[in-house]
């Protein structure tokens, strides 16, 4: 269930930040993976999006989106789909080696904008930002590639998710941006024309006040937020816009537990840690009168099986809940929870 | 990708064990959630199945299965679906309170067999096995319910998954079976007629030599097996029958890492622990010449994002792997991985 008013507020807040910074907002749609939620963005003027797979690009293309960056290293086994997508929309792709550019050319992928994937410390994909030579080599390969265009340099500084607070997240943001800007400046000076700089993860984009610097930002999770963002301070409890409505199938007052159909296949096994270092998988949103988060110390999802979720809590927090009721759960990680739901989230409501 | 010959061997082995023990094999189909894999069972004479949700019951009903137990506490929000299912197949449901039985009657759910869900130490759902009075109360409520029939007592001793080896798993199996059998005997003596005893988790059913005792067993994971089963000793590497074929999108020989499109949404965040206590999410199956598991010490999935999987390994194990290749990953938990795949696994092959 999406609280439409909250999601819209989250979208508009990020739009204003991007506008103030003179950056294009290219939101990452992997968070919701939903036509309905995508339209909330489109209704507010967003035209450029990010996705994380070719399948997701096709899904949003079917709903009329025509400027899409696949922020995931090119899957060479899907070149046929990429050729089709490039023919009907402005398609951005990620490359991090000369060889990959050459293989795209050999496979006749044309009409795409190529972003050079740069690793600014997350250590997952991309060319290390210090390796100016390798970045320039890929830039030259793109410039020489018929039908392909260099869009710029792109990074995902996902290490913000392991940071301990606003100051550390801001430091990661600045370091990533500085590194990318330096490399982009070198390329521009070497005659590569306009070289974009694309950054963005929700913690950085939410917690850094002034986003001036990059040409575009690509946060995703901010539209819904979740317990991970709440823990990082990227949002308040009032910004939580997505819950999973789970049927209660058993109540055990003597154990202070309630069991719901809401398991690993619905919420995912991603977790946040409580003060004692124990993982939990979700918290309870009271939706009786507007949305109000129940303190996770009073009730939280303490274990998940494939279909079962076990909520443990103080007697008062679980009082009166019985089989047949619905409990609304805020997941630890909204992207994985929303992705697991079939069909994609479409129900929207506006309560707060 | 399913290795059909291995899956069939796993099925036939469990069938023989059930036959020797005089127990009905009612396999849990949540593991594969696939019509194609279900037919491997049907082709070998299996007619009775277990599922873990109403949706899954409907899915298999559409492929002609007509004797289905939903081994999950009744979802009262799905009574309309339950009524329809009960009308067209032999439907087993789980109850653990008098109130729930009364609500099923009030909602006119008729024609179902009711299993009393008994907790034999897992602590998730069900009436504690020591509470003979509560079990009998539910039995009496079922006996008094028009159109509903008492099937017997059912347990899932999932604590076997936390056990340290064959001896401990066998002890859990015996204790659960003894408890259930005692309660069933009391009900039978009190005139409840034939009271079934349904048990079964893959570790117990795989590691206990003689399964004599229950009227039926409900293991699921044995058809595929996975790293969790391998770690428990419930299977050998040659019994691993399911892998996720993941496109390689980047190779970083200098980091001894390969990145695949095979992330949390494909493999799930379930993990097993290595000797040092660190979690990992998958191992590599070499499929070049029959299926051969690469030692997880030489290559394993060390981290997962939504779409990314990072495989780290010894240089030799990853040598020659490059973008565009496929890597076949054995998941930590096959049930969650298979469930996440859309469409359901249908490709079968027979290599070993």
């Amino acid at each position: 269930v999406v609280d439409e008013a909250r999601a819209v507020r989250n979208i508009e807040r990020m739009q204003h930040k991007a506008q103030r910074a003179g950056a294009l907002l290219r939101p990452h749609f992997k968070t919701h993976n939903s036509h309905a939620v995508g339209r909330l963005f489109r209704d507010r003027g967003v035209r450029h999006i990010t996705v994380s797979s070719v399948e997701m690009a096709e899904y949003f293309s079917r709903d009329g989106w025509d400027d899409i960056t696949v922020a995931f290293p090119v899957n060479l086994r899907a070149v046929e789909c990429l050729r089709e997508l490039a023919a009907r929309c402005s398609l951005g792709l990620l490359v991090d080696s000369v060889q990959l550019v050459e293989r795209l050319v050999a496979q006749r992928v044309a009409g795409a904008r190529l972003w050079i994937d740069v690793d600014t410390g997350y250590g997952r994909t991309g060319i290390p930002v210090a390796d100016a030579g390798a970045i320039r080599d890929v830039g030259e390969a793109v410039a020489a590639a018929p039908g392909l265009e260099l869009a710029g340099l792109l990074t995902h500084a996902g290490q913000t998710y392991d940071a301990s607070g606003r100051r550390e997240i801001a430091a990661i943001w600045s370091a990533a941006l500085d590194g990318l800007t330096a490399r982009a400046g070198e390329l521009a000076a070497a005659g590569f024309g306009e070289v974009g700089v694309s950054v963005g993860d929700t913690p950085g984009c939410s917690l850094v006040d002034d986003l001036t610097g990059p040409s575009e930002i690509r946060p995703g999770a901010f539209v819904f937020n979740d317990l991970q963002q709440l823990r990082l301070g990227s949002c308040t409890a009032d910004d939580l816009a997505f819950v999973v409505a789970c049927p209660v199938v058993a109540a055990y007052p003597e154990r202070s537990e309630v069991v719901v159909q809401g398991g690993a296949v619905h919420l995912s096994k991603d977790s946040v840690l409580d003060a004692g270092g124990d993982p939990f998988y979700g918290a309870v949103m009271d939706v009786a009168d507007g949305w109000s988060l129940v303190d996770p110390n009073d009730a939280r999802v303490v274990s998940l099986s494939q279909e079962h979720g076990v909520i443990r809590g103080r007697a008062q927090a679980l009082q009166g809940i019985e089989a047949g009721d619905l409990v609304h759960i805020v997941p630890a990680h909204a992207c994985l929870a929303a992705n697991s739901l079939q069909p994609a989230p479409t129900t929207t409501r506006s309560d707060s």
Side-chain angles (χ1 to χ4, degrees), chain A:
Chain A
V1 182
V2 176
D3 183 317
E4 185 172 317
R6 289 182 176 207
V8 165
R9 203 170 60 205
N10 292 339
I11 292 168
E12 291 180 342
R13 189 189 300 127
M14 195 59 82
Q15 268 189 308
H16 294 149
K17 282 188 86 166
Q19 279 161 7
R20 280 204 309 276
L24 177 73
L25 174 62
R26 184 186 284 280
H28 205 315
F29 273 22
K30 78 180 173 72
T31 299
H32 53 83
N33 214 354
S34 152
H35 286 176
V37 179
R39 289 177 187 199
L40 298 181
F41 285 87
R42 189 154 57 196
D43 292 347
R44 280 150 194 90
V46 172
R47 292 289 176 273
H48 311 81
I49 65 170
T50 308
V51 299
S52 58
S53 69
V54 177
E55 298 86 333
M56 229 182 270
E58 290 175 328
Y59 172 76
F60 284 108
S61 168
R62 285 198 294 276
D63 200 40
W65 294 93
D66 60 6
D67 193 314
I68 305 175
T69 298
V70 183
F72 190 86
V74 168
N75 178 359
L76 286 167
R77 305 182 73 88
V79 282
E80 200 170 325
C81 303
L82 292 175
R83 280 196 296 259
E84 286 170 17
L85 276 167
R88 69 172 184 268
C89 71
S90 173
L91 183 68
L93 298 175
L94 250 64
V95 293
D96 71 352
S97 72
V98 171
Q99 191 192 18
L100 189 53
V101 176
E102 289 171 349
R103 289 188 67 175
L104 288 175
V105 172
Q107 302 268 5
R108 294 173 291 104
V109 175
R113 295 169 288 110
L114 298 194
W115 290 92
I116 301 177
D117 187 8
V118 179
D119 178 8
T120 52
Y122 188 36
R124 188 175 63 182
T125 63
I127 304 172
V129 66
D131 197 345
I135 291 171
R136 182 166 173 158
D137 288 346
V138 176
E140 283 172 355
V142 176
L148 297 173
E149 187 191 333
L150 182 66
L153 307 181
L154 178 149
T155 196
H156 174 67
Q159 65 269 40
T160 50
Y161 281 85
D162 295 321
S164 61
R166 180 188 291 263
R167 191 178 303 185
E168 192 181 340
I169 287 168
I172 291 168
W173 167 276
S174 295
L177 183 59
D178 290 351
L180 234 55
T181 305
R183 292 294 93 82
E186 291 160 13
L187 292 180
F192 280 87
E194 199 177 334
V195 179
V197 169
S198 176
V199 302
D201 49 282
T202 286
C205 292
S206 294
L207 282 171
V208 172
D209 287 329
D210 181 356
L211 299 180
T212 303
S215 54
E216 67 170 37
I217 58 172
R218 307 183 324 277
F222 71 97
V223 61
F224 286 164
N225 293 303
D226 54 28
L227 297 182
Q228 291 184 346
Q229 300 299 336
L230 190 63
R231 179 184 59 84
L232 289 165
S234 314
C235 71
T236 69
D238 290 341
D239 303 325
L240 297 167
F242 170 71
V243 295
V244 183
C246 299
V248 175
V249 294
Y252 302 100
E254 68 284 6
R255 280 169 23 197
S256 301
E257 288 181 353
V258 160
V259 177
V260 297
Q261 185 176 11
V265 297
H266 310 101
L267 298 172
S268 98
K269 283 237 170 171
D270 248 354
S271 58
V272 288
L273 300 181
D274 65 15
D278 288 322
F280 65 104
Y281 306 91
V284 175
M285 184 71 82
D286 183 344
V287 300
D289 180 23
W291 283 24
S292 168
L293 182 68
V294 176
D295 186 336
N297 290 316
D298 290 338
R300 55 186 150 169
V301 180
V302 293
S303 71
L304 296 176
S305 314
Q306 181 162 345
E307 297 274 342
H308 300 74
V310 178
I311 303 172
R312 189 177 297 154
R314 300 204 174 133
Q316 211 167 352
L318 301 182
Q319 203 169 21
I321 298 178
E322 58 181 34
D325 291 348
L326 275 185
V327 168
H328 296 78
I329 296 182
V330 184
H333 187 177
C335 307
L336 294 188
N339 190 291
S340 74
L341 301 175
Q342 298 293 337
T346 53
T347 313
T348 60
R349 51 184 288 168
S350 187
D351 274 358
S352 61

